Amino acid sequence: MTSKREAVLSALHTLVRTALASSTVTVERGDALPEAIPAGGLVIIRDGKPGEPEYTLSPLIYHYQHAAEIEVFVQSADRDARFDDLCRSIGSAVAADRTLGGLCDWVETSAPEPADLPVAGGATIKAGVVTAILHYSTSDPLN
């Protein structure tokens, strides 16, 4: 059986992958940054940090505000518009399913802080991280 943490992170990955399925973007989870960014862009979901939980007693329940990271990379002539499109698509998908199918109490996202990364002999990469705060509860932090 999958832990609550893994189920929530997997659902976030599925939500983002589904939201971007109609584009040529590559969506991964936890992978290393490749040497080249695919033409349609790259999104990597990082597990992030669950943080210190709050808890209630009787029964004991741990309440997490897990900060997962959604890294967005674009390397193309229209990188500003493409980056914006990818971030908007992710935001729209989260807004449409803030409970990840009932696994979370709530999901909220932050605005990315974009950065332009120069590449020697190549097009500049536009990159940014969208933080997704996943609010969920579990009876055991390891299950």
Side-chain angles (χ1 to χ4, degrees):
M1 185 168 149
T2 303
S3 69
K4 180 72 174 248
R5 177 189 65 259
E6 178 59 27
V8 168
L9 291 167
S10 180
L12 177 65
H13 178 238
T14 300
L15 178 80
V16 171
R17 189 180 56 219
T18 302
L20 302 175
S22 63
S23 65
T24 58
V25 67
T26 302
V27 180
E28 304 290 345
R29 178 168 170 217
D31 287 356
L33 188 60
E35 290 185 24
I37 304 299
L42 174 66
V43 174
I44 301 176
I45 311 293
R46 304 275 181 211
D47 290 358
K49 300 176 184 177
E52 193 64 33
E54 293 186 15
Y55 57 89
T56 54
L57 301 173
S58 192
L60 179 61
I61 303 290
Y62 297 88
H63 307 282
Y64 285 95
Q65 292 183 27
H66 189 132
E69 297 176 338
I70 305 169
E71 298 175 351
V72 180
F73 302 92
V74 178
Q75 186 178 25
S76 64
D78 63 341
R79 67 182 172 274
D80 294 329
R82 183 76 178 130
F83 181 85
D84 187 56
D85 287 345
L86 292 177
C87 290
R88 286 183 328 115
S89 294
I90 291 167
S92 294
V94 169
D97 186 7
R98 292 216 181 257
T99 65
L100 298 177
L103 289 172
C104 278
D105 295 324
W106 191 255
V107 178
E108 57 188 279
T109 54
S110 69
E113 293 184 31
D116 291 322
L117 310 172
V119 176
T124 299
I125 297 171
K126 185 162 198 112
V129 176
V130 175
T131 301
I133 305 297
L134 310 165
H135 298 262
Y136 62 90
S137 300
T138 181
S139 61
D140 187 323
L142 298 178
N143 288 319

